[in-house]
Each structure stands twice: as C-alpha cells, then as structure tokens.
Amino acid sequence: MFSVTCVAPVNIALIKYWGKRNEDLILPINDSVSMTLRTDELCAETTITASESFYSNKMWLNGEEVPFEENTRILRCLNEVHRLAICAGSQKIPLSWKIHVKSFNNFPTAAGLASSAAGYACLVYSLACLYGIPVNDQLTTVARQGSGSACRSLYGGFVQWHRGNLDSGCDSVAKQVVSSKFWPNMHLIILVVNDQRKNTGSTLGMQRSVQTSQLIQHRADKVVPERVNQLKTAIHKHDFDTFAKITMKDSNQFHAIAMDTYPPCVYMNETSHSIVSFVHDFNELMGSSLIAYTFDAGPNACLYVLEENIPKLIYAINKAFPNDEESADYLRGIPLSNLDIQSKTKDNIFREKMELLKIQQKNTLKYIIHTKVGEGPRLLRANAR
Amino acid sequence: MFSVTCVAPVNIALIKYWGKRNEDLILPINDSVSMTLRTDELCAETTITASESFYSNKMWLNGEEVPFEENTRILRCLNEVHRLAICAGSQKIPLSWKIHVKSFNNFPTAAGLASSAAGYACLVYSLACLYGIPVNDQLTTVARQGSGSACRSLYGGFVQWHRGNLDSGCDSVAKQVVSSKFWPNMHLIILVVNDQRKNTGSTLGMQRSVQTSQLIQHRADKVVPERVNQLKTAIHKHDFDTFAKITMKDSNQFHAIAMDTYPPCVYMNETSHSIVSFVHDFNELMGSSLIAYTFDAGPNACLYVLEENIPKLIYAINKAFPNDEESADYLRGIPLSNLDIQSKTKDNIFREKMELLKIQQKNTLKYIIHTKVGEGPRLLRANAR
C-alpha cells in the first residue's frame, strides 16, 4: 500500500482558451496564457492510495463518491500516466494495483471558480508522484486530456499553453513563461458575484462557438498569436499598463465570441458589466491602467493589481460596491485590515476622485478573495505501509 | 410663403450598420439591410415652411426649439438639397428664403427606438417636396449625411444601404430590395424594456469600435457581404426560417463587436438576454424559427413574426413575461384582442408546450408595440399662401 497527497493551484487565463480543434484529445484552436494562483486561497487537494488489496478504482470528490470507470477523462489520465511510467521505466509501484482517489477543493465550488483545472492538475500530479514520473511538458499533455486548462496548473507563475500542430496532440503542451518569483507583487482580487442565471457549460459553449461563430477563427488565427507575444513581452518587462490592456481586451473578445455564437452564450451579468465600468472609471481617474479585469465563463470578476495599489483598489471597491457585511467573511484570503486601507488611502486628492465613482446597489458582491501569483503543484506527503 | 407636411417611417436593421469609414460624410464600412415600419405606429412628422419674410432658419423638435445654424448635420442636409435643386433646375421656391422646421415623433422618444433615422428622413423628404426634387437614390445620400440609417427610411419595404466605394460617397446609396407589398404579412412586435443603464451613444460607440475592435474589419469584409446576399435571397423566396436565423445572428454579431470594443459597449440588459433565450426556447418548442429577434444600440427587442403566428407569440409573451397592466396601453399598435389570442391558441398541444417556457419576474416589459412592414415617406399636405 502506497499513498500520496498533493495540492495543485487554480489558474486564471489572461489570453483565453475558447474552442477545440479535437474534442477527444482536447486540442485547442489557439494558444492561451494564464497566471497560476497561490494554493493558500484556492486549491485542489488530492490523496491517491494504491493497494494490492483494492478490488477496483474508486474516487471521492469533496466527500462524495463519483463514478470512476465510466469517466472517460479520468480513465484517459490514468492510462496516459501508466504509459509514461512504462516509457520512463519507473517501477515505484505496480501498475496493476487499483487506486482510491480522494479530492477536495479548499474553496466553495458554488463560487463558479474554475475548479476542474485545479482538480485534474492535482489528479495528474498526484499520479505522477505515485508512479515516480517527473513533471515536464509531456505530463501537461496528460492533464490537458482531463480538462484543457488543467495543463496550465502544472506550473507556477505565468504559463503558456501552446496549441501545437500535430494531430496526436504531443506538441500541445504547457510551458512556464516566468516563475512566480519574477513578478511577486502581482496580486488578484476576485469579486464573487451574486448570480441567478444558469449558464451554458463551457464544454458545450465552446463546441457551439466553433461550429457557429463566424469570428472565432479570425480570433484564433490573427488576433491571439499577436496578443500572446505582446503579453509575454509585457510580463518580461513588468509593464503592468500593457499587461492590463491586453488582458481586458482578451476577456472582452472571449465574451464577444460567446455572444457571436448561435444561440448566443452569455456569461457576464449586470454586476459583471458594472465591474467593467468601475475598472475603466477607476483607471481613468488614476490616469493609468492600475487594474485589469478578466471574466471566465461566469459572472465573477478577477481583478489583477500590483500589491502597492491594493489599498486604493479595496477602498474604491468598498465605495462603489457597498456591502452590509464587513466581517472577515466578506474580505477573504491574504489579510488586509481596514486600518491599512484607511491609512494608505489618506491622500485627499485620491479621496476626492473616488467621490466620482458610480455607486452600485448594496450587496451586489457576495464576497471578495485576495490572492496572488503562486507556485505549481506540490507533494504534501507520501506514505508507504 | 410655402409649406409642406410629411411623415417618414422608422426602419429596423436586419443586417446592422456599425462603423463608419468617413465620419464627416457618414460612409459605412459595410452594407446594411433593413425593414421599413408602418408610419401609423412609429413615424416622424415634419412641417417645413419657407417664407421671404423669415429672418433666419429655425427648428423645433417635439415643440422645443433646437439650434439650427450650429447643427452641421442639418445644415449639410439643407445645402445638399439646395445643390440638388440647382442641378435639377427646380425653381419651385427661391433658395434664398429662410425656413422654419417643426418636427414631431408620434412615439415616445424615451422608448429608445431609433428616432433620428425617421427624423432626418422626414427632414430631407420634406425639403425635397418643398423644393420639388424627386425621391431617388441620390436623395438618399443627403439623408445619409444627416444620420446614416436615415437613408434607408426613404423607401418602404426592405431596403439595402450600399456602402459604396467612392471617397465622395456618391455611391453610398439606399435602394429598395422589395416593396412592402412583397411580404405584407411580415409583422414586428417591439418589446419595450424597462432600463436604468445609460448607454454609450451610437456615434461614439461605433467610432470606438472602428478604432479598437480587432474583429470589426473581418465582419465588414467577410461576414456581412455573404449575409446580405443570403438575406436578400431569403426575402425574395419568402423563406422566414432563413430570414430569422440570419437576422438573429447578425444582431448577436453586432453586440459581439460592441463587446470587443475597448472599453466595451454594452447595450443589452438582463431582460434583453432573457428575451433572446425566450425566442430560442419558443422556436425550439415550435420546431422551427417562427420568431426572430434583433436589438439595436439599446435594450429593446424587435421581434419579427409572420401575421399568422402573432397570436401564438403574444400568448407566449404573456406567459413568459407576465405583466400587471392588461390595458390597451400595454399592447399598442395594430389591434389584437385577448379574445383573438385565446381563440387562435386553443390547441392543447401548443398550450402544453408553452408550460415549458421559463417565466420571468413580473413587469420586466414596459409595453409592447405591434406594427408591420410599411411604405416610405409621404406628403400629407402642401400649402401656398
């Protein structure tokens, strides 16, 4: 009997992945670039136990058993890891032993924050630890076959998922652009939005987009390659202003493609749009792009901001999106006291500017998570009995 | 002293005009196609009086005086009509006489229904009547310089505005595709939506789109020309299903381009999106596209529907968008009694299907206007004293 426990991070795309050229192998129509988040706030934690005495493979997600042998994506990940173990000649534990997988998210799944990327990255990373396979680009092709964007969660810092050209998908790999240490003051403020709307799932949504949008191919062929280069240059130069503009434009374009889909997919709601207006207003008042928004296939906003600008941003959010709740439950993650915010935003000129922000109805935000760029997956413990 | 009074219709674009290649001459980056509406429900009515004794040109809009000599668009229209009168050798009244223009809309301007198209079409048509100039393609280039889409309101039925290629704009003209008699059972149900949001004006919005959207040129060059041909073929064949699909796709793509603009322009609200879902659900339940939506730069929905399907549509709207108001003030325009609706939708299978519609909160719609395809502008009266 042998067991490993690992954690893997969530990643948020800056250049969005939207559309597959091969549904089965999960090969995308364009490159994407993401930032990996700290696992302290958001992560998947997975324990895999392998034993000679287990009769069958089993899996539990957040405490509830889920089908294993019927889940083609999980099976494919397991088979692919087995194949890599054979190729690597690794004989840490016998491949014939059945496994039990227990996985948890440390954040509410109801928040609509991409949990499948962290989940599949954690599964594949844990399997790699179990069977003694190194983390490299090849392993990212395995995670990709679980959930496309999971491949980006196998690295920390900023990560590029290369679409690749081969039909086999061998070259559709994730590679690190820079580590989390390269831009350590890059933070993220996630605004979790109250939402009623039932959205189109992203697998179905992107299928429909590829089939019906008359703009998606132009985006993939012409717009994204240029943006990926510009964004990587901005990251290498620590040029936040350019980083912000490309990130916001790409979020908008992804939602434009979703809108150009037939029937259209709508993921942002009124609150999302008021956050977009808020960010543009704030940046205009501040005279440069100090914040960038990005929205995935849901209404929650991810706001990128440098550490030094966080008190100002939080002050502005509290102003524009007033909330009855003032407890720690409202502002979660990396601590930031109200005292800090008040003392670091004392400047009268700043406060006068903030008076110009449009004030939304109370309680349009559910809660806020403060986190930052983080490391890739890691092994917490391994036991042999 | 000489006076004319004319009415001119509103038109609703099926293939949207969005983006100018010349701001001054109002030359569009792509062709557009529209349907002209009956003037009984929506129109501009304009009286122009010319007199030797007037000291200056003046204008009143809905009873309030507005600047004339400072309004470059109005001045341009007047000068262009003068030029055409000289070219035509028309000497009905001296060009040196000053004019007084009084214009009204017969529909609430608060409804956010494009009133400038009808307004400028009416101004130019009235000037043409005043100076004795025929309505032809050349006159549409004048209306175009007042408000782009006004050129399409100079004809009834279905109308194409050709973008043209010349820098002068001489070939950027509107032409009738078919008259209103060709598809007389084509009706329109306008859902006027309660809205709080202050939108970006369309002049500014389309400027920003041309400057910043990385998808708009592809739309103009590749998507629109094909769609215009398909739509015209569908109109010529009375093929409502194809007509509906192209119309809905083009509305979506226009809002996609607005979203791809930086900062993004958002014109549809939650109610607009729930109408979109409603139309797709209704069409799916009915087994074919019996309704088509289109949205201009605002939240109101224009629903195209053949006359024979109106009772079913109204029944479904009343089901999905319940309203406290049941008076004639809620359902305006071409009369349709509740008795009619009830008797024509008795079919139990139909009613069972309608039970599957998602029901929205009460009173999300402000009111409904029922109208249909109509004629171009007309002279109501002319007086000489």
Side-chain angles (χ1 to χ4, degrees):
Chain A
M1 187 166 178
F2 195 81
S3 142
V4 295
T5 298
C6 303
V7 287
V10 162
N11 75 79
I12 303 290
L14 301 155
I15 304 289
K16 301 294 185 187
Y17 152 53
W18 194 252
K20 303 185 185 82
R21 62 180 207 277
N22 181 319
E23 289 288 333
D24 222 36
L25 294 172
I26 311 191
L27 299 175
I29 60 169
N30 58 257
D31 284 25
S32 52
V33 177
S34 62
M35 187 177 96
T36 295
L37 307 187
R38 251 180 36 149
T39 50
D40 304 58
E41 281 73 49
L42 303 163
C43 75
E45 181 177 325
T46 302
T47 299
I48 306 187
T49 309
S51 168
E52 202 177 359
S53 65
F54 288 163
Y55 284 108
S56 60
N57 294 319
K58 282 172 178 278
M59 182 161 184
W60 291 261
L61 205 58
N62 294 318
E64 275 194 41
E65 191 171 353
V66 293
F68 193 117
E69 300 292 342
E70 295 81 357
N71 189 324
T72 53
R73 290 187 172 195
I74 290 173
L75 280 184
R76 196 193 287 269
C77 288
L78 180 60
N79 292 336
E80 286 286 297
V81 171
H82 281 179
R83 191 179 58 75
L84 290 182
I86 293 164
C87 291
S90 169
Q91 298 184 332
K92 204 170 158 197
I93 63 159
L95 300 182
S96 60
W97 286 11
K98 299 293 178 184
I99 59 170
H100 285 182
V101 180
K102 292 184 182 177
S103 192
F104 296 88
N105 296 323
N106 73 340
F107 56 97
T109 46
L113 293 160
S115 51
S116 63
Y120 274 101
C122 209
L123 174 73
V124 169
Y125 186 83
S126 305
L127 287 171
C129 290
L130 189 71
Y131 296 110
I133 299 162
V135 175
N136 57 26
D137 296 354
Q138 209 48 46
L139 193 66
T140 70
T141 69
V142 181
R144 188 201 74 222
Q145 293 175 64
S147 169
S149 52
C151 68
R152 297 186 311 234
S153 274
L154 284 182
Y155 293 111
F158 293 85
V159 182
Q160 179 174 2
W161 174 11
H162 298 258
R163 72 182 289 281
N165 292 305
L166 300 174
D167 287 340
S168 68
C170 289
D171 58 346
S172 185
V173 296
K175 289 173 191 277
Q176 192 176 59
V177 176
V178 293
S179 83
S180 64
K181 288 174 186 64
F182 185 80
W183 209 347
N185 56 334
M186 179 63 89
H187 283 234
L188 194 71
I189 301 287
I190 303 173
L191 306 183
V192 178
V193 162
N194 281 314
D195 187 41
Q196 302 102 352
R197 190 190 292 133
K198 185 78 195 79
N199 296 311
T200 314
S202 45
T203 298
L204 180 63
M206 65 174 84
Q207 263 177 33
R208 222 197 262 167
S209 291
V210 170
Q211 284 159 9
T212 64
S213 167
Q214 291 200 262
L215 302 174
I216 195 170
Q217 204 57 51
H218 181 76
R219 162 174 166 74
D221 295 345
K222 305 287 177 196
V223 183
V224 168
E226 199 184 322
R227 279 192 184 159
V228 166
N229 288 334
Q230 289 168 342
L231 183 71
K232 282 163 71 180
T233 305
I235 291 169
H236 282 296
K237 287 183 176 170
H238 292 115
D239 170 1
F240 188 87
D241 188 77
T242 306
F243 170 92
K245 280 176 185 147
I246 296 171
T247 297
M248 292 189 275
K249 284 182 182 181
D250 208 66
S251 173
N252 294 337
Q253 189 165 87
F254 150 50
H255 291 279
I257 296 296
M259 187 69 208
D260 187 50
T261 298
Y262 186 81
C265 302
V266 177
Y267 295 112
M268 294 167 76
N269 66 16
E270 295 277 309
T271 304
S272 314
H273 291 299
S274 63
I275 295 168
V276 166
S277 299
F278 161 80
V279 170
H280 287 292
D281 290 348
F282 181 87
N283 286 342
E284 204 178 312
L285 289 169
M286 302 307 288
S288 83
S289 298
L290 297 190
I291 330 170
Y293 55 77
T294 193
F295 293 82
D296 279 349
N300 301 320
C302 293
L303 304 185
Y304 291 92
V305 57
L306 295 180
E307 190 170 14
E308 55 267 37
N309 295 320
I310 292 174
K312 285 198 168 97
L313 170 57
I314 298 287
Y315 181 93
I317 291 172
N318 286 339
K319 187 106 204 159
F321 297 90
N323 204 288
D324 286 329
E325 179 95 47
E326 293 212 355
S327 68
D329 206 44
Y330 180 62
L331 188 52
R332 304 178 185 188
I334 303 174
L336 193 74
S337 75
N338 257 326
L339 213 67
D340 271 359
I341 298 166
Q342 292 303 322
S343 71
K344 285 181 181 160
T345 55
K346 265 188 176 158
D347 174 14
N348 277 335
I349 297 170
F350 169 75
R351 293 205 175 192
E352 273 169 32
K353 283 179 182 169
M354 293 302 103
E355 293 298 319
L356 301 172
L357 289 173
K358 193 183 168 216
I359 293 169
Q360 304 294 324
Q361 282 191 322
K362 269 197 166 184
N363 306 323
T364 50
L365 302 182
K366 211 190 266 176
Y367 56 89
I368 298 172
I369 305 170
H370 174 198
T371 182
K372 59 177 286 192
V373 60
E375 310 288 328
R378 71 180 195 280
L379 178 68
L380 292 187
R381 52 189 175 273
N383 302 309
R385 270 189 290 177
Chain B
M1 186 167 181
F2 195 81
S3 142
V4 295
T5 298
C6 302
V7 286
V10 163
N11 75 79
I12 303 290
L14 301 154
I15 305 289
K16 301 293 186 188
Y17 152 52
W18 194 252
K20 303 185 186 83
R21 62 180 206 277
N22 181 317
E23 288 289 333
D24 221 35
L25 294 173
I26 312 190
L27 299 175
I29 60 170
N30 58 256
D31 284 25
S32 52
V33 178
S34 62
M35 187 177 96
T36 295
L37 307 187
R38 252 181 32 150
T39 50
D40 303 59
E41 281 74 50
L42 304 162
C43 75
E45 181 177 325
T46 300
T47 299
I48 306 186
T49 308
S51 168
E52 203 177 358
S53 66
F54 288 164
Y55 284 108
S56 60
N57 294 318
K58 281 172 177 278
M59 183 161 182
W60 290 262
L61 205 58
N62 293 317
E64 275 195 43
E65 191 170 354
V66 293
F68 192 117
E69 300 293 342
E70 297 81 358
N71 189 323
T72 53
R73 289 187 172 196
I74 290 173
L75 279 184
R76 196 192 287 268
C77 287
L78 180 60
N79 292 336
E80 286 286 298
V81 171
H82 281 177
R83 191 179 57 76
L84 289 182
I86 293 164
C87 292
S90 171
Q91 297 185 335
K92 205 170 156 196
I93 62 158
L95 300 182
S96 59
W97 288 12
K98 299 292 179 185
I99 59 169
H100 285 183
V101 180
K102 292 186 181 177
S103 193
F104 295 89
N105 296 322
N106 73 340
F107 57 97
T109 46
L113 295 159
S115 50
S116 63
Y120 274 101
C122 210
L123 173 74
V124 170
Y125 185 83
S126 305
L127 287 171
C129 290
L130 189 73
Y131 296 110
I133 299 163
V135 175
N136 57 26
D137 296 354
Q138 208 48 44
L139 192 67
T140 71
T141 69
V142 181
R144 190 202 73 221
Q145 293 176 63
S147 169
S149 53
C151 69
R152 297 186 311 234
S153 274
L154 284 182
Y155 293 111
F158 293 85
V159 182
Q160 179 174 0
W161 173 11
H162 299 259
R163 72 183 287 282
N165 292 304
L166 300 174
D167 286 342
S168 68
C170 289
D171 58 346
S172 186
V173 296
K175 290 174 191 277
Q176 192 177 58
V177 176
V178 292
S179 83
S180 63
K181 288 173 186 66
F182 186 80
W183 210 348
N185 58 333
M186 179 63 89
H187 284 235
L188 195 71
I189 302 287
I190 304 172
L191 306 182
V192 178
V193 162
N194 281 313
D195 187 40
Q196 302 102 352
R197 189 191 290 133
K198 184 79 196 78
N199 296 311
T200 313
S202 45
T203 299
L204 180 64
M206 65 174 85
Q207 262 177 34
R208 223 198 261 165
S209 290
V210 170
Q211 283 159 11
T212 64
S213 167
Q214 291 199 261
L215 302 174
I216 196 171
Q217 204 57 50
H218 181 75
R219 161 173 166 74
D221 295 344
K222 305 287 177 197
V223 183
V224 169
E226 200 184 321
R227 279 192 184 160
V228 166
N229 288 334
Q230 289 169 342
L231 182 71
K232 281 163 71 181
T233 304
I235 291 169
H236 282 296
K237 286 183 176 171
H238 293 114
D239 171 1
F240 189 87
D241 189 77
T242 306
F243 171 92
K245 280 176 184 147
I246 296 172
T247 298
M248 291 189 276
K249 284 182 181 179
D250 208 67
S251 173
N252 295 338
Q253 189 166 87
F254 151 49
H255 292 279
I257 296 296
M259 187 71 208
D260 187 52
T261 298
Y262 186 81
C265 302
V266 177
Y267 295 112
M268 293 168 77
N269 67 15
E270 295 278 309
T271 303
S272 313
H273 291 299
S274 63
I275 295 169
V276 166
S277 299
F278 161 79
V279 170
H280 286 292
D281 290 349
F282 180 87
N283 286 341
E284 204 177 311
L285 289 168
M286 302 307 288
S288 83
S289 297
L290 298 190
I291 331 170
Y293 55 76
T294 193
F295 293 82
D296 279 349
N300 301 321
C302 293
L303 304 185
Y304 291 92
V305 57
L306 295 180
E307 190 171 13
E308 56 267 35
N309 295 319
I310 292 174
K312 287 199 166 96
L313 171 56
I314 298 287
Y315 181 93
I317 291 171
N318 286 340
K319 189 104 204 161
F321 297 89
N323 204 289
D324 285 329
E325 179 96 46
E326 292 213 355
S327 67
D329 207 44
Y330 180 62
L331 188 52
R332 306 177 185 189
I334 303 174
L336 194 73
S337 77
N338 256 325
L339 213 68
D340 271 359
I341 298 165
Q342 292 303 320
S343 71
K344 285 180 181 160
T345 56
K346 264 189 176 158
D347 175 12
N348 277 333
I349 298 170
F350 168 75
R351 293 205 175 192
E352 271 169 34
K353 284 178 181 169
M354 292 303 103
E355 293 299 319
L356 302 171
L357 289 173
K358 193 182 168 218
I359 293 168
Q360 304 294 324
Q361 282 191 322
K362 270 198 166 185
N363 306 323
T364 50
L365 302 183
K366 210 190 267 175
Y367 56 89
I368 299 172
I369 305 171
H370 173 199
T371 183
K372 58 177 285 190
V373 59
E375 310 288 329
R378 72 179 194 283
L379 177 68
L380 292 187
R381 53 188 175 272
N383 302 309
R385 269 189 291 179

